[in-house]
Amino acid sequence: MNRVLNPSKYLKEIVPIGATFYIGFGIKNLTDIAKKDSDITDLVAQRKSSVIVTGKKGVLKENTKGKLVRKQPERKEDIWKHIHYYSKRFEKDIDYDREFHIWEREVLHKYNLALEIAVTPQGETILHFPAFKMADDDATYMKAGAAMNLAIALGSYFLPYNHKFEPFIPVTKLESRRILPPGNFTVYEKLEIIKKDLITNGDGILSEGNSYRFALLNEKKPSDVTMGVGGFNEYLMFEYFPDDLMVLENLKTGNATFLFTLSHFNKKADLNKQTAMTDPSFLKRIIHHNLEDWSRQFGSYFKNSK
């Protein structure tokens, strides 16, 4: 994800006014910066319950040192600085004082935001910043935006979560049926599905939620989102009118992302995992395996959505 410049578009008309929400990210996508941070390592290992996010530059530094901006109205001030360096040409130390004309600056904000740890209803371990209370004002958006950019720096993405730590997705429609159920399998096949649900990729990792995919779906600004029976534990429909694309996605790992041509997709069709790929509108099935490969394949179908 790129740096967030307009936080309101991820919250306004998505998070209800007055609602409690969190900004967070899953521990499966930690950046190198986060992996090298001993405090975050202790937090993930649950040796600490909370850590103040800080760093030497960028949004990490701004969190504890403050974000500086030009004073309004703008004006410059004169300051003197002592300059010292070693000159290889003259083989000696050089010292002198120099006057600089610089813009006067002031602290825009210094939040000292802390990270905490939680587990979602889908079993995903996430790191999140302290609770926000939704309000349609600059102060809320500015603070939430700082949390979003910190999340991107540390977890490569962010997602707003509700008080239960389920993602805030702009659901616009509800269906009184399951979306993309498993289908009609034999007893043996059902046992295999249960086994794969418990252990994915053959490496002993318990099946759990992974909100990274939902974060990317959310970033593409879906035109409509349909939730069926089972809520976030089942598949959801994401419609993208500009790209003529319908995406069926499940929050939990061990499943697959199904892509269809929206204009040819019959929303009333009784599709399941067995019949989905024979539908005339079917485009692609991307398994939940390697996130980098998933992101590359998924992103190739978006040409017009921003």
Side-chain angles (χ1 to χ4, degrees):
M1 277 188 172
N2 297 322
R3 183 184 176 99
V4 173
L5 300 177
N6 181 16
S8 66
K9 75 175 185 178
Y10 298 101
L11 301 173
K12 195 171 184 178
E13 298 180 357
I14 297 173
V15 179
I17 298 296
T20 296
F21 71 96
Y22 298 87
I23 300 296
F25 54 94
I27 63 171
K28 298 295 183 183
N29 298 82
L30 296 182
T31 63
D32 288 340
I33 293 173
K35 290 176 182 177
K36 294 175 182 178
D37 189 300
S38 59
D39 284 336
I40 292 178
T41 299
D42 286 341
L43 182 61
V44 172
Q46 299 188 37
R47 292 188 289 267
K48 292 183 177 180
S49 60
S50 177
V51 298
I52 299 290
V53 176
T54 189
K56 295 181 178 180
K57 59 182 180 179
V59 294
L60 300 175
K61 181 180 179 181
E62 291 171 359
N63 188 46
T64 53
K65 301 298 183 181
K67 180 179 178 63
L68 297 175
V69 295
R70 292 181 184 178
K71 275 187 177 181
Q72 298 297 323
E74 294 181 351
R75 66 178 185 181
K76 288 188 174 182
E77 61 179 337
D78 299 329
I79 64 169
W80 286 88
K81 286 188 177 181
H82 182 73
I83 309 298
H84 169 82
Y85 67 95
Y86 179 78
S87 171
K88 291 183 178 179
R89 179 181 177 184
F90 297 107
E91 297 183 343
K92 67 176 182 178
D93 290 322
I94 303 295
D95 285 273
Y96 65 95
D97 292 322
R98 179 180 172 184
E99 185 179 20
F100 290 86
H101 305 282
I102 64 172
W103 294 106
E104 288 187 358
R105 297 197 295 173
E106 61 184 349
V107 175
L108 178 64
H109 62 70
K110 186 172 70 171
Y111 295 124
N112 288 307
L113 291 172
L115 271 179
E116 300 170 5
I117 193 166
V119 178
T120 71
Q122 289 74 36
E124 180 183 13
T125 300
I126 66 168
L127 302 182
H128 66 87
F129 296 99
F132 292 85
K133 186 72 72 174
M134 181 58 187
D136 185 16
D137 58 40
D138 291 341
T140 299
Y141 295 136
M142 188 180 298
K143 190 172 183 179
M148 291 172 184
N149 285 316
L150 284 169
I152 293 170
L154 298 172
S156 56
Y157 76 99
F158 75 88
L159 199 62
Y161 298 86
N162 65 18
H163 67 287
K164 295 181 180 179
F165 293 108
E166 288 187 320
F168 264 114
I169 300 295
V171 175
T172 55
K173 302 175 185 176
L174 296 174
E175 281 280 350
S176 58
R177 62 184 177 88
R178 294 177 69 186
I179 296 174
L180 207 67
N184 299 314
F185 292 94
T186 65
V187 173
Y188 173 78
E189 288 171 331
K190 288 180 179 179
L191 289 173
E192 286 298 304
I193 290 171
I194 293 172
K195 181 180 177 181
K196 289 180 180 179
D197 247 359
L198 293 174
I199 301 176
T200 63
N201 298 335
D203 55 12
I205 298 175
L206 292 179
S207 179
E208 60 184 26
N210 191 320
S211 52
Y212 173 77
R213 287 181 292 270
F214 269 42
L216 292 192
L217 283 160
N218 211 22
E219 188 182 32
K220 297 295 184 182
K221 305 299 290 182
S223 309
D224 275 311
V225 179
T226 303
M227 177 182 284
V229 174
F232 286 109
N233 291 316
E234 299 285 348
Y235 274 87
L236 276 71
M237 288 183 177
F238 293 80
E239 300 176 41
Y240 300 90
F241 296 161
D243 290 288
D244 195 21
L245 190 66
M246 167 71 83
V247 180
L248 303 190
E249 181 60 283
N250 194 306
L251 186 58
K252 283 194 170 185
T253 56
N255 291 285
T257 307
F258 290 81
L259 288 80
F260 304 84
T261 301
L262 178 59
S263 58
H264 297 154
F265 185 82
N266 181 1
K267 297 176 186 177
K268 295 184 178 180
D270 192 20
L271 295 180
N272 57 50
K273 288 184 179 180
Q274 286 179 305
T275 60
M277 290 185 287
T278 63
D279 189 85
S281 64
F282 176 76
L283 292 173
K284 182 77 173 181
R285 175 179 179 269
I286 310 174
I287 61 171
H288 292 179
H289 181 54
N290 180 287
L291 275 177
E292 185 176 336
D293 184 60
W294 179 92
S295 181
R296 179 187 59 77
Q297 293 188 61
F298 174 75
S300 68
Y301 285 86
F302 289 86
K303 304 299 182 185
N304 301 309
S305 296
K306 296 182 180 180

